Amino acid sequence: MSLKSALLRGAAVLTAAGALAGLAAAPAAAKSHHHEPLVIAHRGASGYMPEHTLEAYALAVELGADVIEPDLVLTKDGELLARHEPVLDETTDVAAHPEFADRKTTKLIDGKPVTGFFADDFTLAELKTLRAEERLPALRPDSAAYDGRFELVTYDEVLDYVDTLDRKVITYPEMKHPSYYEDKGMSIEDALADLLEERNLDRKRSPVWIQSFEYQSLLNIDERVDNPIGLNIDGQGAIPDATLDEYAETLDTVSLNKNRIFPRAADGSISEPTDIVERAHDRGLDVHVWTFRAENNFLPTNLREGSDPAAWGDIEAEFELFYDLGVDAVFSDFPDLAVAARDC
């Protein structure tokens, strides 16, 4: 029996068990989840171009992504910048700008000291003089070839770009480290809510979803806007029913690390899935999953091909495992591969 067949046989057993449980006690919040899963371009088409650039987002749309995901940080003057972290060192050429050498400092993020150049120490005008760089050059040399070519962009500019498209594309901003800004007397929630209100995008059916790793941050912004909100949950291990019940009362989506659904063994391989997708769906929650990357370095050991960490493994099989479980959306650095696996 193939790996996929074995895993899906386990999934079928769990699905059947979940269906029986649902018949016994289906909550009122439950809704249908039989739609086609959406493809979320993780930081744009970040497997091909430096992440969080307008060019990476545009390529993602060209490759068929349904959703593009800008991570958001705050600038010194309160603008929402599309960057994965407040620290700029890994994804920009800031270190090559001697005029900013004195901005390097150490700050606490999530209680841990981090040394580098922080976006909130720069005005947007200053940040516009920087250029994006590939975060994983050893694994993605083709993307690194674009280093120095693309400027940094704001979420407002991303929304301007989306407005020019001839099809609906959802943006899925993630508020990065809200507590970090709160400690500085800044509010990333208010900055995002203000922008959405100004653009009349603060409604339930607006093509904007909001996400964060901080639950309280989502509750805070939910007091100001009506957009769908989703909690990002890292790691692996079971999520208790009582916790899911609370999320179902307050959230629209749980956005899970892949290991929450297909746990990895000590050797890095995956085996049978958990029942988290069924239990979340039973409570009316959508399930999004992250992050799908083609390189062996990121794949389970039993889906890798060869020993080169930068070579592509059997990502199609990985997509199929999750699609067959009925997840609602997947985050991928390679949106074209996610679309191809879904539509084949």
Side-chain angles (χ1 to χ4, degrees), residues 136 139 264 293-300 304 308-311 313:
L136 303 169
L139 295 177
R264 293 202 188 188
R293 298 179 169 110
E295 296 94 350
N296 281 330
N297 187 71
F298 303 109
L299 286 167
R304 295 175 185 174
D308 181 357

Side-chain angles (χ1 to χ4, degrees), residues 33 79 139 172-173 187 192 202 214 273 341:
H33 290 266
E79 298 290 338
L139 295 177
Y172 199 177
S187 172
L192 180 55
D202 56 334
E214 295 189 23

Side-chain angles (χ1 to χ4, degrees), residues 205-225:
R205 294 190 178 276
S206 298
V208 176
W209 306 337
I210 300 171
Q211 57 176 321
S212 177
F213 279 90
E214 295 189 23
Y215 183 49
Q216 185 59 51
S217 176
L218 293 169
L219 300 184
N220 292 344
I221 199 168
D222 192 47
E223 294 180 357
R224 292 206 45 196
V225 302

Side-chain angles (χ1 to χ4, degrees), residues 224-343:
R224 292 206 45 196
V225 302
D226 292 326
N227 304 72
I229 56 174
L231 179 66
N232 299 330
I233 305 174
D234 203 355
Q236 66 181 36
I239 300 175
D241 284 341
T243 301
L244 286 179
D245 290 341
E246 179 182 357
Y247 292 161
E249 291 293 324
T250 54
L251 304 171
D252 299 280
T253 301
V254 286
S255 184
L256 305 176
N257 184 309
K258 292 183 297 184
N259 296 345
R260 291 277 180 178
I261 298 174
F262 279 94
R264 293 202 188 188
D267 65 356
S269 64
I270 57 172
S271 55
E272 292 186 358
T274 67
D275 63 354
I276 183 62
V277 176
E278 291 80 15
R279 291 194 296 123
H281 282 173
D282 285 346
R283 289 163 172 78
L285 288 163
D286 281 350
V287 178
H288 300 172
V289 190
W290 47 273
T291 302
F292 291 83
R293 298 179 169 110
E295 296 94 350
N296 281 330
N297 187 71
F298 303 109
L299 286 167
T301 54
N302 43 351
L303 291 179
R304 295 175 185 174
E305 297 183 354
S307 58
D308 181 357
W312 288 10
D314 194 359
I315 190 174
E316 180 180 354
E318 187 179 39
F319 280 128
E320 290 176 358
L321 290 171
F322 286 85
Y323 288 154
D324 288 339
L325 279 184
V327 302
D328 300 283
V330 297
F331 290 79
S332 181
D333 293 6
F334 301 87
D336 54 330
L337 303 183
V339 170
R342 180 191 67 189
D343 296 347

